[in-house]
Amino acid sequence: MTILPEQPVFRFAPSPNGLLHLGHALSAILNHDMAAATNGRFLLRIEDIDRARCRPEFEAAIFEDLAWLGLAWEQPVRRQSDHLDLYAETLQRLRTMGVVYPSIMTRGDIRSAVAAAEAEGTVWPRDPDGSPLYPGHERELSPRAQAALVAGDRPYTWRLDVAKAIKLVAEPLTWRETGAGPTGETGLITADPAGWGDVILSRSDAPSSYHLSVVVDDALQGVTHVVRGRDLYLATSVHRLLQRLLDLPEPVYLHHRLVLGPDGRKLSKSNQDTGIAAFRVAGRSPADVRAMVLEGAS
């Protein structure tokens, strides 16, 4: 059972790897307004683990855009790059539990293995995003063999042994959805982490993945309500599994609609969709942006 504190805690957690667009504005405004309506707290978290793509100028732009929208958040702002040791410690906990293993297969290796299997008639399972599940060739390596792999010269990742993890938690995993999934799912949702296969939790060049750091941060910051885009709805299954493994609190989830571009696809930084700052430069007001993103928001 989810037991929440009296004061709700909401958060907006962007990555400074590009300019915020209208989809980010919707998520930030919803979190801010829901916190205000419930006498709750609104936190801003900077998810900047990917040092190759995250830049100080994008972080500064996040602050500027949100302030222009009229949003106010608690200080200090949490930056994931300041807490890498915590993620490493959490990964070590999972290693001690025996539910993670090192893997060295590259994307090319995975494609080749899957292609070979499918050429022989095997129907290879895919995750909800359409990517083939990891073959798990290293899953049964001995501790000594795993140590040798990590000590070698090849880049490696730490993957969650999802089957072993599910067996360890034993009880069915669910979450409380107050928004809606891609096909309208709401209420008590049954999680399906197995559908994602052995997800990456850490890389040799990055101490944590999104899945690991987000559940650690939400728990540490006391987040009670996770309000985010519907594109992350299915990933909640992985987050619920990690929360149960690590004995972390279970927040309430609300997945909201996505803001789509003229071509019907969701907005994306990588596609350089029009940023919030561009609307400001064009003379639009914060009220204009609010009206654009909140119309039909659910």
Side-chain angles (χ1 to χ4, degrees):
M1 177 183 297
T2 303
I3 301 177
L4 301 177
E6 293 184 2
Q7 187 177 34
V9 180
F10 297 80
R11 51 77 167 171
F12 176 58
S15 294
N17 55 12
L19 297 175
L20 297 186
H21 52 60
L22 291 181
H24 297 109
L26 172 59
S27 195
I29 289 171
L30 286 176
N31 275 281
H32 175 271
D33 290 1
M34 291 176 73
T38 58
N39 194 32
R41 300 166 57 203
F42 174 59
L43 310 179
L44 175 61
R45 182 167 73 226
I46 300 297
E47 299 195 339
D48 59 347
I49 285 181
D50 187 349
R51 304 309 294 168
R53 299 174 60 205
C54 294
R55 301 177 186 172
E57 58 267 31
F58 290 141
E59 180 177 319
I62 288 172
F63 297 146
E64 184 177 8
D65 288 343
L66 297 182
W68 178 74
L69 287 172
L71 309 188
W73 53 90
E74 291 187 10
Q75 296 290 345
V77 170
R78 179 180 176 86
R79 292 176 179 81
Q80 289 183 335
S81 58
D82 294 334
H83 303 278
L84 302 184
D85 288 348
L86 176 61
Y87 309 133
E89 291 170 7
T90 305
L91 179 66
Q92 184 57 48
R93 282 182 59 190
L94 295 172
R95 290 178 61 183
T96 301
M97 295 166 68
V99 294
V100 297
Y101 64 91
S103 63
I104 58 173
M105 292 184 72
T106 65
R107 291 180 181 178
D109 294 335
I110 297 171
R111 285 195 297 268
S112 296
V114 172
E118 290 180 332
E120 295 179 356
T122 299
V123 178
W124 200 272
R126 256 79 175 169
D127 68 23
D129 289 336
S131 299
L133 299 193
Y134 188 71
H137 291 171
E138 308 94 338
R139 194 180 293 130
E140 302 304 326
L141 289 178
S142 67
R144 176 173 293 183
Q146 288 189 1
L149 187 153
V150 171
D153 296 330
R154 294 187 62 178
Y156 65 90
T157 63
W158 285 99
R159 289 182 177 269
L160 178 67
D161 187 332
V162 68
K164 189 177 292 185
I166 291 172
K167 185 177 181 180
L168 185 62
V169 301
E171 299 177 3
L173 290 167
T174 60
W175 79 84
R176 181 177 156 202
E177 176 64 50
T178 60
T183 57
E185 305 93 330
T186 193
L188 189 65
I189 306 298
T190 299
D192 179 26
W196 289 96
D198 294 350
V199 295
I200 292 174
L201 297 183
S202 176
R203 301 178 186 274
S204 54
D205 59 350
S208 182
S209 71
Y210 167 74
H211 295 307
L212 182 61
S213 56
V214 74
V215 298
V216 170
D217 287 341
D218 283 344
L220 187 143
Q221 294 188 286
V223 172
T224 60
H225 293 71
V226 174
V227 178
R228 60 191 183 187
R230 201 162 288 156
D231 53 334
L232 290 170
Y233 172 86
L234 295 172
T236 310
S237 289
V238 176
H239 302 166
R240 288 294 298 120
L241 178 56
L242 289 171
Q243 287 162 351
R244 186 69 64 82
L245 285 169
L246 297 166
D247 195 26
L248 301 178
E250 175 190 347
V252 171
Y253 289 88
L254 186 157
H255 291 90
H256 59 73
R257 69 173 178 85
L258 302 176
V259 178
L260 305 179
D263 57 359
R265 60 171 175 75
K266 73 171 184 175
L267 299 182
S268 170
K269 293 176 186 173
S270 59
N271 291 327
Q272 297 184 331
D273 286 306
T274 304
I276 297 172
F279 290 99
R280 181 168 67 250
V281 172
R284 305 299 290 268
S285 70
D288 292 334
V289 173
R290 271 184 167 270
M292 282 189 285
V293 300
L294 291 179
E295 181 179 356
S298 62

